[in-house]
Short mmCIF file of all heavy atoms in Angstrom, two decimals:
data_model
loop_
_atom_site.label_atom_id
_atom_site.label_comp_id
_atom_site.label_asym_id
_atom_site.label_seq_id
_atom_site.Cartn_x
_atom_site.Cartn_y
_atom_site.Cartn_z
N SER V 142 71.37 106.01 95.46
CA SER V 142 69.97 105.93 95.87
C SER V 142 69.38 104.58 95.47
O SER V 142 69.79 103.99 94.48
CB SER V 142 69.15 107.05 95.24
OG SER V 142 68.94 106.77 93.88
N ARG V 143 68.41 104.11 96.23
CA ARG V 143 67.78 102.82 95.94
C ARG V 143 67.15 102.84 94.55
O ARG V 143 67.17 101.86 93.84
CB ARG V 143 66.71 102.52 96.98
CG ARG V 143 67.27 102.17 98.32
CD ARG V 143 66.16 101.82 99.27
NE ARG V 143 65.78 100.43 99.23
CZ ARG V 143 66.50 99.42 99.66
NH1 ARG V 143 67.70 99.63 100.13
NH2 ARG V 143 66.05 98.20 99.62
N ARG V 144 66.63 103.98 94.16
CA ARG V 144 65.98 104.06 92.86
C ARG V 144 66.98 103.84 91.72
O ARG V 144 66.74 103.06 90.81
CB ARG V 144 65.30 105.41 92.71
CG ARG V 144 64.57 105.51 91.43
CD ARG V 144 63.81 106.78 91.34
NE ARG V 144 63.10 106.72 90.09
CZ ARG V 144 62.00 107.33 89.83
NH1 ARG V 144 61.45 108.08 90.74
NH2 ARG V 144 61.42 107.23 88.67
N SER V 145 68.13 104.50 91.77
CA SER V 145 69.09 104.31 90.68
C SER V 145 69.74 102.93 90.74
O SER V 145 70.14 102.39 89.74
CB SER V 145 70.16 105.41 90.69
OG SER V 145 70.94 105.32 91.84
N ARG V 146 69.83 102.36 91.95
CA ARG V 146 70.39 101.02 92.08
C ARG V 146 69.45 99.99 91.47
O ARG V 146 69.85 98.94 91.04
CB ARG V 146 70.57 100.71 93.57
CG ARG V 146 71.84 100.03 93.87
CD ARG V 146 72.07 99.75 95.29
NE ARG V 146 70.92 99.43 96.07
CZ ARG V 146 70.87 99.57 97.38
NH1 ARG V 146 71.89 100.04 98.03
NH2 ARG V 146 69.80 99.25 98.05
N ALA V 147 68.17 100.33 91.44
CA ALA V 147 67.17 99.38 90.96
C ALA V 147 67.01 99.40 89.45
O ALA V 147 66.36 98.54 88.90
CB ALA V 147 65.83 99.69 91.62
N ASN V 148 67.57 100.37 88.78
CA ASN V 148 67.38 100.48 87.34
C ASN V 148 68.34 99.57 86.58
O ASN V 148 69.54 99.69 86.70
CB ASN V 148 67.59 101.92 86.88
CG ASN V 148 66.50 102.83 87.37
OD1 ASN V 148 65.38 102.39 87.62
ND2 ASN V 148 66.81 104.09 87.54
N LEU V 149 67.77 98.68 85.79
CA LEU V 149 68.57 97.83 84.92
C LEU V 149 68.29 98.29 83.49
O LEU V 149 67.53 97.69 82.75
CB LEU V 149 68.21 96.35 85.11
CG LEU V 149 69.06 95.35 84.35
CD1 LEU V 149 70.52 95.49 84.72
CD2 LEU V 149 68.60 93.94 84.65
N VAL V 150 68.89 99.42 83.17
CA VAL V 150 68.70 100.01 81.85
C VAL V 150 69.48 99.19 80.82
O VAL V 150 70.37 98.42 81.19
CB VAL V 150 69.14 101.49 81.83
CG1 VAL V 150 68.27 102.32 82.76
CG2 VAL V 150 70.60 101.64 82.21
N PRO V 151 69.17 99.35 79.53
CA PRO V 151 69.85 98.53 78.50
C PRO V 151 71.37 98.60 78.58
O PRO V 151 72.04 97.58 78.39
CB PRO V 151 69.31 99.12 77.19
CG PRO V 151 67.96 99.61 77.55
CD PRO V 151 68.08 100.15 78.95
N GLU V 152 71.93 99.78 78.86
CA GLU V 152 73.40 99.85 78.93
C GLU V 152 73.94 99.04 80.10
O GLU V 152 75.02 98.44 80.00
CB GLU V 152 73.89 101.29 78.99
CG GLU V 152 73.63 102.00 80.30
CD GLU V 152 74.10 103.44 80.29
OE1 GLU V 152 73.86 104.15 79.31
OE2 GLU V 152 74.71 103.84 81.29
N HIS V 153 73.19 98.96 81.22
CA HIS V 153 73.62 98.12 82.34
C HIS V 153 73.57 96.64 81.95
O HIS V 153 74.46 95.87 82.28
CB HIS V 153 72.74 98.35 83.57
CG HIS V 153 73.00 99.64 84.27
ND1 HIS V 153 72.07 100.24 85.06
CD2 HIS V 153 74.08 100.45 84.30
CE1 HIS V 153 72.55 101.37 85.56
NE2 HIS V 153 73.78 101.51 85.10
N ALA V 154 72.50 96.26 81.25
CA ALA V 154 72.36 94.86 80.82
C ALA V 154 73.50 94.48 79.89
O ALA V 154 74.10 93.41 80.02
CB ALA V 154 71.01 94.64 80.15
N THR V 155 73.85 95.36 78.97
CA THR V 155 74.94 95.10 78.03
C THR V 155 76.26 94.92 78.78
O THR V 155 77.03 93.99 78.51
CB THR V 155 75.05 96.26 77.01
OG1 THR V 155 73.81 96.37 76.32
CG2 THR V 155 76.18 96.02 76.03
N LYS V 156 76.52 95.80 79.76
CA LYS V 156 77.75 95.69 80.56
C LYS V 156 77.75 94.41 81.38
O LYS V 156 78.78 93.74 81.52
CB LYS V 156 77.89 96.91 81.47
CG LYS V 156 78.25 98.18 80.76
CD LYS V 156 78.34 99.34 81.74
CE LYS V 156 78.59 100.65 81.02
NZ LYS V 156 78.59 101.79 81.96
N LEU V 157 76.58 94.08 81.96
CA LEU V 157 76.46 92.87 82.76
C LEU V 157 76.83 91.64 81.92
O LEU V 157 77.65 90.82 82.34
CB LEU V 157 75.03 92.73 83.29
CG LEU V 157 74.71 91.45 84.06
CD1 LEU V 157 75.36 91.48 85.44
CD2 LEU V 157 73.21 91.26 84.19
N PHE V 158 76.25 91.53 80.73
CA PHE V 158 76.55 90.39 79.87
C PHE V 158 78.03 90.36 79.48
O PHE V 158 78.65 89.30 79.48
CB PHE V 158 75.68 90.42 78.60
CG PHE V 158 74.20 90.36 78.88
CD1 PHE V 158 73.31 91.08 78.11
CD2 PHE V 158 73.69 89.58 79.91
CE1 PHE V 158 71.94 91.03 78.35
CE2 PHE V 158 72.32 89.52 80.16
CZ PHE V 158 71.45 90.24 79.39
N ALA V 159 78.59 91.52 79.17
CA ALA V 159 80.01 91.58 78.77
C ALA V 159 80.91 91.12 79.92
O ALA V 159 81.87 90.36 79.70
CB ALA V 159 80.38 92.99 78.34
N LEU V 160 80.62 91.54 81.14
CA LEU V 160 81.43 91.12 82.29
C LEU V 160 81.30 89.62 82.53
O LEU V 160 82.30 88.94 82.80
CB LEU V 160 81.03 91.90 83.54
CG LEU V 160 81.42 93.38 83.56
CD1 LEU V 160 80.81 94.08 84.77
CD2 LEU V 160 82.93 93.55 83.55
N LEU V 161 80.08 89.10 82.44
CA LEU V 161 79.88 87.66 82.65
C LEU V 161 80.61 86.84 81.60
O LEU V 161 81.15 85.77 81.90
CB LEU V 161 78.39 87.33 82.64
CG LEU V 161 77.58 87.86 83.83
CD1 LEU V 161 76.10 87.61 83.61
CD2 LEU V 161 78.05 87.23 85.13
N GLU V 162 80.66 87.34 80.37
CA GLU V 162 81.32 86.60 79.29
C GLU V 162 82.83 86.52 79.46
O GLU V 162 83.47 85.65 78.88
CB GLU V 162 80.96 87.23 77.94
CG GLU V 162 79.53 86.93 77.53
CD GLU V 162 79.11 87.61 76.25
OE1 GLU V 162 79.90 88.38 75.65
OE2 GLU V 162 77.96 87.37 75.82
N THR V 163 83.41 87.40 80.28
CA THR V 163 84.85 87.32 80.52
C THR V 163 85.20 86.10 81.35
O THR V 163 86.34 85.64 81.35
CB THR V 163 85.39 88.57 81.25
OG1 THR V 163 84.84 88.61 82.58
CG2 THR V 163 85.09 89.85 80.50
N GLY V 164 84.22 85.59 82.11
CA GLY V 164 84.49 84.46 82.98
C GLY V 164 85.14 84.85 84.29
O GLY V 164 85.49 84.01 85.10
N ARG V 165 85.27 86.13 84.52
CA ARG V 165 85.93 86.62 85.75
C ARG V 165 84.93 87.13 86.78
O ARG V 165 85.33 87.53 87.87
CB ARG V 165 86.92 87.72 85.41
CG ARG V 165 88.04 87.26 84.51
CD ARG V 165 89.03 88.39 84.21
NE ARG V 165 89.97 88.04 83.19
CZ ARG V 165 91.08 87.35 83.38
NH1 ARG V 165 91.38 86.92 84.57
NH2 ARG V 165 91.89 87.07 82.38
N TYR V 166 83.66 87.15 86.44
CA TYR V 166 82.65 87.71 87.33
C TYR V 166 81.47 86.77 87.51
O TYR V 166 81.05 86.11 86.57
CB TYR V 166 82.08 89.03 86.75
CG TYR V 166 83.06 90.17 86.74
CD1 TYR V 166 83.89 90.37 85.65
CD2 TYR V 166 83.13 91.03 87.81
CE1 TYR V 166 84.79 91.42 85.63
CE2 TYR V 166 84.02 92.09 87.80
CZ TYR V 166 84.85 92.28 86.72
OH TYR V 166 85.73 93.32 86.71
N SER V 167 80.94 86.77 88.71
CA SER V 167 79.65 86.14 88.98
C SER V 167 78.59 87.22 88.76
O SER V 167 78.92 88.39 88.53
CB SER V 167 79.61 85.68 90.44
OG SER V 167 79.70 86.81 91.30
N VAL V 168 77.33 86.84 88.87
CA VAL V 168 76.27 87.84 88.74
C VAL V 168 76.43 88.89 89.84
O VAL V 168 76.31 90.08 89.59
CB VAL V 168 74.87 87.17 88.81
CG1 VAL V 168 73.77 88.23 88.93
CG2 VAL V 168 74.63 86.31 87.57
#
Side-chain angles (χ1 to χ4, degrees):
S142 75
R143 288 183 88 70
R144 183 175 182 153
S145 66
R146 222 178 35 202
N148 291 333
L149 185 58
V150 296
E152 72 182 44
H153 286 156
T155 301
K156 288 179 184 176
L157 175 74
F158 299 143
L160 290 173
L161 291 173
E162 287 176 358
T163 67
R165 298 181 190 277
Y166 291 89
S167 63
V168 170

